[in-house]
Amino acid sequence: MKRHFPVMLIRILAAMLAVASTICGQTTSVSTDSVTKAATAAVMDFEARGLAVEQAATLSDRFRAELAGCKQVRQVERSRMDEILREQGFQQSGCTSTECAVQTGRLLGVEKMISGSVSRIGETWTVQARVIDVGTSEILKTAILDERGAIDELLTPGMAKLAEKLVGGCAVQPEPVRTGLPAALHHPEPLRIIPAPGDTTGGLGFQFAFMSPVAFPAGNKINGIALSLPYGRLESLRGIQAGVLNQVTENVNGIQAGVVNISGDDRGLQAGVFNMANDVRGLQGGVVNISTSSKGIQAGLVNITGNCRCLQVGLINIWKTADGATWFFPIVGGLR
């Protein structure tokens, strides 16, 4: 028995080494698997619904910047993304479906695509964003952010909140502590019916624009009357803008009267030879009326709108329904 002891000892030591090796291998495997590599992702421009495309693009850029502080994704830079798609001859405009996002992701060579939309109902802004798996075309997660008030609130801190909701692990700045006072008492403003000249916060009572931005007094918000001779460009209008070429980048709550009238959202009246708006919820009256979407009235020789729940009266009426079908009808259109 004694002469077999060294052999048994060697076998026991070998078995212990084998067990130790197995345990170490499992530990190493668990440690490696526990470190999850951040997925590569690219962000498409948000689809604009009821606001200017430029505004949606600005929100998209801010969202990308906020997403850069999130640990869960490694983001492809916008410039690099555009360069690759340009080389492939791929057009991003109108790319809003899941299938198109997946196709874009495959061209970029990323694992996930992030797409979404920005819309407004009344005074409430809504942003919907989703993460799409490029390999399986599956929507992995959806996040929704609602902000009431000015679009500024949607930009900051709204995009940071959306990034945190969608992927988590983001460096979100804490919101300032607020008291229980009404919002108006946090930022008191003097009460006045007609804003003082030069006040671009509340809006100017009167402005004469020669060739914007050459205007007197200077400002881009009007709560009164603006004369545009020959060209005036405003951010928002509550009142009347009259001239040759009138442009309002955001909201018109009043009247634009001129040869050419251009606005973001028309909540009042556009009267001229050529009228163009992003979203019409009032009246366009002229020779040619064009809008991206309309829930109001177009009256002219030629009326064209992208998404119509409206009334068109004119010689040529072209409109698109909610299901994407395009219709043409003379005299009266937009009722189907």
Side-chain angles (χ1 to χ4, degrees):
M1 186 71 177
K2 291 181 179 179
R3 60 185 178 186
H4 294 294
F5 179 74
V7 177
M8 294 178 62
L9 181 61
I10 292 172
R11 290 177 178 176
I12 292 172
L13 290 174
M16 292 176 65
L17 288 173
V19 172
S21 176
T22 303
I23 293 174
C24 289
Q26 290 176 349
T27 304
T28 303
S29 177
V30 171
S31 300
T32 303
D33 292 342
S34 63
V35 179
T36 303
K37 188 178 180 181
T40 56
V43 180
M44 304 178 67
D45 278 346
F46 293 145
E47 179 186 0
R49 299 176 181 174
L51 72 160
V53 175
E54 293 79 7
Q55 291 178 310
T58 300
L59 291 171
S60 304
D61 288 339
R62 182 53 181 259
F63 178 75
R64 291 186 182 97
E66 298 293 350
L67 199 66
C70 304
K71 300 177 181 179
Q72 304 298 326
V73 294
R74 291 180 298 143
Q75 187 182 169
V76 177
E77 291 186 0
R78 171 63 186 271
S79 58
R80 179 58 180 161
M81 176 178 170
D82 291 341
E83 179 184 350
I84 294 174
L85 294 179
R86 187 167 52 250
E87 290 174 354
Q88 299 291 333
F90 186 81
Q91 297 293 329
Q92 299 182 61
S93 58
C95 182
T96 59
S97 65
T98 301
E99 293 77 9
C100 188
V102 169
Q103 183 182 359
T104 305
R106 288 171 180 167
L107 292 175
L108 296 174
V110 296
E111 299 169 81
K112 294 178 174 60
M113 289 295 294
I114 299 176
S115 64
S117 63
V118 187
S119 59
R120 182 177 62 181
I121 298 178
E123 298 299 323
T124 301
W125 299 89
T126 297
V127 185
Q128 298 186 29
R130 55 187 179 174
V131 180
I132 303 170
D133 189 295
V134 175
T136 63
S137 301
E138 178 185 0
I139 298 176
L140 301 178
K141 188 174 181 181
T142 299
I144 300 175
L145 176 71
D146 294 328
E147 292 286 351
R148 184 175 176 83
I151 195 172
D152 310 53
E153 295 293 326
L154 195 62
L155 184 67
T156 58
M159 291 299 98
K161 294 179 183 177
L162 184 65
E164 177 65 24
K165 279 187 173 185
L166 192 64
V167 300
C170 306
V172 180
Q173 296 295 326
E175 291 191 41
V177 177
R178 301 179 183 271
T179 68
L181 295 174
L185 296 182
H186 285 286
H187 306 284
E189 295 182 354
L191 179 64
R192 56 178 179 267
I193 298 176
I194 300 178
D199 182 0
T200 58
T201 301
L204 299 172
F206 175 80
Q207 183 185 75
F208 176 81
F210 173 70
M211 183 65 74
S212 286
V214 179
F216 179 80
N220 57 12
K221 296 182 180 180
I222 296 295
N223 286 356
I225 299 175
L227 298 180
S228 307
L229 298 172
Y231 169 60
R233 184 177 185 272
L234 302 172
E235 181 180 328
S236 64
L237 171 67
R238 290 180 178 271
I240 300 174
Q241 185 183 32
V244 179
L245 175 55
N246 305 311
Q247 182 179 10
V248 177
T249 58
E250 293 188 10
N251 302 326
V252 173
N253 292 281
I255 300 174
Q256 279 187 309
V259 179
V260 177
N261 302 304
I262 302 172
S263 73
D265 295 341
D266 175 23
R267 300 294 188 272
L269 168 65
Q270 284 187 318
V273 177
F274 180 84
N275 301 308
M276 184 169 65
N278 183 53
D279 184 33
V280 175
R281 299 191 184 186
L283 171 64
Q284 285 183 314
V287 179
V288 178
N289 303 306
I290 299 176
S291 67
T292 304
S293 64
S294 178
K295 296 179 182 178
I297 300 175
Q298 289 182 317
L301 291 180
V302 178
N303 303 306
I304 303 172
T305 185
N307 185 10
C308 178
R309 285 183 285 175
C310 61
L311 172 65
Q312 293 176 314
V313 180
L315 183 63
I316 298 175
N317 302 300
I318 301 174
W319 75 98
K320 183 180 291 185
T321 58
D323 59 2
T326 301
W327 296 83
F328 163 79
F329 205 83
I331 310 304
V332 177
L335 296 177
R336 298 189 181 186

